[in-house]
Amino acid sequence: MAKPDLRPLREAVARSTSLREASGHAAAWSVAHLAADHAGIAVHPPGRRPVRLAATSRALRVLDEVVERHGCGFGHEPLPEGLAAVLDDTRLDLECPPWTRAAQRQQVRSAWSVGLPPIRGVPATLLLLSADAGTYAGRGAPSSATVQAIGYLLLRASADHRVRPARAVTHLPGVRT
């Protein structure tokens, strides 16, 4: 995968007035540049379900509802910064049958999740979903440098005085946006 131009994302995040807005820019940029049909940014507060800060599609929100209802599904667990998990073919995933069925209905065939730098001490992840099986296998996964850049842009946004990440993390019911 060629190294994508991060300047438009950097500029959009710099103009953001909230962590949610910055996360939305990062998710949209990920769909445009990282071989994803759907993308989302989530934080994983200890002892709670993930909180979706941004989702680029209804498909991702449907899968989040399955995670909320059943407590399982690809990408629902926090990952350490830089660690990635890949699901080459959702049809073969036996870990969470309700999530697998929902992914099939949403035409999601492969998934990739990576740990971003924690946002105000709360683990964060980037989730990419594709309609094609095997999208993120081998060289199809985004580079660690690209993912790290996305994460640090979000960290910068969370540190910005205009952004109130504690509110975004602690006052959201469930994972709905």
Side-chain angles (χ1 to χ4, degrees), residues 23-50:
S23 297
H25 289 303
W29 184 90
S30 296
V31 166
H33 298 281
L34 301 181
D37 294 306
H38 318 281
I41 307 284
V43 290
H44 302 264
R48 292 184 43 209
R49 305 273 184 188

Side-chain angles (χ1 to χ4, degrees), residues 105-116:
R105 284 191 302 273
Q106 298 302 314
Q107 299 179 357
V108 170
R109 290 286 307 278
S110 60
W112 186 79
S113 182
V114 64
L116 298 173

Side-chain angles (χ1 to χ4, degrees), residues 31-98:
V31 166
H33 298 281
L34 301 181
D37 294 306
H38 318 281
I41 307 284
V43 290
H44 302 264
R48 292 184 43 209
R49 305 273 184 188
V51 177
R52 181 71 58 203
L53 296 177
T56 62
S57 68
R58 181 182 178 282
L60 189 52
R61 289 188 291 276
V62 167
L63 294 173
D64 282 345
E65 289 173 6
V66 172
V67 168
E68 178 71 23
R69 207 169 329 142
H70 298 281
C72 63
F74 185 84
H76 84 285
E77 294 287 336
L79 293 171
E81 180 180 349
L83 184 66
V86 66
L87 181 56
D88 285 337
D89 191 339
T90 58
R91 296 178 306 169
L92 304 176
D93 182 34
L94 302 176
E95 294 293 318
C96 184

Side-chain angles (χ1 to χ4, degrees), residues 112-168:
W112 186 79
S113 182
V114 64
L116 298 173
I119 297 175
R120 296 281 171 101
V122 178
T125 54
L126 168 65
L127 176 64
L128 305 179
L129 304 172
S130 173
D132 300 316
T135 298
Y136 307 109
R139 298 182 143 246
S143 75
S144 58
T146 298
V147 171
Q148 186 178 33
I150 293 169
Y152 284 105
L153 286 172
L154 292 176
L155 270 181
R156 187 183 314 162
S158 73
D160 190 315
H161 70 279
R162 298 170 297 165
V163 178
R164 295 180 299 280
R167 180 174 178 263

